[in-house]
């Protein structure tokens, strides 16, 4: 019984701990979201205020507002571009580190410009404006350079990917149109066909020529025997005689009998003597 109670107590503690951890995480995420929203709203309000001051206030105060607005816009755009690109390209981590160092100088300059907005000595403020303008230009130029370099890198990768994709599509299109052939290949295919036709013509001509040659030579080699001469008027009883041919020579040969006469078969001592047939 005590073991069951201990197991239930342990489960209760685990569930309570998990619930507390989830609650803390949820509260932290909600707080971060609220802080992010408040920061974004404050930034938007400050940007609109600076834009209004740059148009409404003349002189050094309006120029300070313009410098702050230019600095904040450039730094924010570069930060968003680098953070969006580093998720796809790990080689931009070094650029993000450089921008963080640049952001420290930009934040310091923004704080100084913000303090100078409430400066009552307008003459001293006018004297410091050229240096502040130069610092702002240097920081914004560096931020813009990082931002455009990251964008150019992403665009170059996209162009390379598009070129490779176009080449693959061209190959696939050519493979799909396999029944069409380029013109140079067609002309080259015509040449072998013409040579094939000439070869076949020569082959057809050579058998005909050889056949005609054999026909011309065969009469001289195997000519038929001439007809016999007509008998004279006084030899009425004599018949026509043919010239000697191979058939006459074969006829003079002795005629072999069609059936060979039986010959006595040899007897051997190990053979048994044949028994005489009995008539009884």
């Amino acid at each position: 019984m005590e073991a069951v109670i201990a197991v239930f107590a342990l489960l209760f503690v685990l569930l309570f701990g998990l619930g507390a951890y989830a609650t803390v995480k949820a509260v932290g995420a909600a707080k971060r979201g609220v802080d992010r929203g408040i920061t974004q709203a404050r930034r938007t309000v400050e940007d609109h205020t600076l834009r209004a001051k740059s148009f409404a206030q003349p002189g050094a105060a309006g120029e300070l507002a313009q410098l702050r607005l230019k600095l904040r816009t450039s730094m924010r755009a570069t930060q968003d571009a680098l953070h969006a690109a580093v998720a796809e390209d790990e080689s931009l981590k070094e650029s993000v580190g450089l921008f963080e160092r640049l952001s420290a100088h930009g934040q310091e300059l923004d704080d100084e410009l913000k303090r100078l907005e409430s400066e009552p000595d307008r003459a001293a403020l006018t004297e410091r404006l050229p240096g502040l303008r130069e610092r702002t230009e240097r920081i914004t130029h560096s931020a813009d350079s990082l931002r455009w370099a990251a964008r150019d890198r992403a665009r170059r990768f996209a162009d390379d990917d598009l070129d490779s994709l176009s080449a693959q599509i061209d190959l696939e299109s050519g493979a799909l149109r396999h029944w069409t052939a380029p013109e140079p290949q067609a002309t080259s295919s015509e040449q072998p066909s013409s040579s094939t036709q000439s070869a076949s013509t020569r082959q057809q001509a050579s058998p005909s020529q050889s056949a005609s040659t054999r026909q011309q030579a065969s009469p001289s080699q195997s000519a038929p025997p001439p007809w016999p001469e007509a008998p004279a008027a006084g030899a009425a009883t004599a018949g026509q005689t043919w010239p000697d041919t191979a058939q006459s020579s074969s006829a003079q040969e002795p005629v072999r009998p069609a059936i060979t006469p039986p010959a006595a078969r040899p007897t051997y001592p190990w053979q048994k003597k044949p028994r005489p047939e009995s008539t009884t």
Side-chain angles (χ1 to χ4, degrees), residues 8-159:
F8 276 105
L10 182 60
L11 289 176
F12 177 77
V13 171
L14 288 176
L15 292 176
F16 181 78
L18 288 176
Y21 178 78
T23 303
V24 171
K25 284 291 184 180
V27 171
K31 183 179 181 182
R32 285 193 299 271
V34 171
D35 293 341
R36 192 181 303 111
I38 293 174
T39 303
Q40 186 69 24
R42 185 186 297 118
R43 185 182 303 166
T44 304
V45 172
E46 289 180 356
D47 290 343
H48 286 290
T49 303
L50 291 174
R51 189 173 289 107
K53 286 182 179 180
S54 63
F55 288 107
Q57 295 180 356
E63 191 170 356
L64 287 175
Q66 291 179 1
L67 292 177
R68 284 192 66 194
L69 184 62
K70 181 180 180 181
L71 178 65
R72 291 162 66 92
T73 303
S74 177
M75 297 297 289
R76 189 181 304 118
T78 304
Q79 180 180 3
D80 295 341
L82 289 178
H83 287 173
V86 75
E88 300 177 357
D89 190 359
E90 295 293 334
S91 61
L92 292 177
K93 288 184 177 181
E94 186 176 356
S95 300
V96 173
L98 294 175
F99 176 74
E100 290 177 355
R101 293 172 58 186
L102 183 65
S103 297
H105 293 279
Q107 189 66 35
E108 182 180 354
L109 178 60
D110 185 68
D111 294 340
E112 185 176 357
L113 292 174
K114 187 176 181 180
R115 288 194 304 268
L116 291 175
E117 286 180 354
S118 58
E119 179 65 34
D121 192 355
R122 299 300 177 182
L125 181 59
T126 305
E127 291 178 358
R128 298 188 60 180
L129 275 177
L132 296 173
R133 192 182 301 114
E134 181 182 0
R135 287 177 61 188
T136 305
E137 289 293 335
R138 291 178 61 184
I139 293 175
T140 55
H141 176 72
S142 298
D144 294 342
S145 179
L146 278 176
R147 182 175 68 253
W148 283 110
R151 290 176 179 175
D152 292 342
R153 181 181 178 85
R155 187 175 66 253
R156 180 59 181 273
F157 286 162
D159 293 341

Side-chain angles (χ1 to χ4, degrees), residues 231-240:
T237 58
Q240 294 180 351

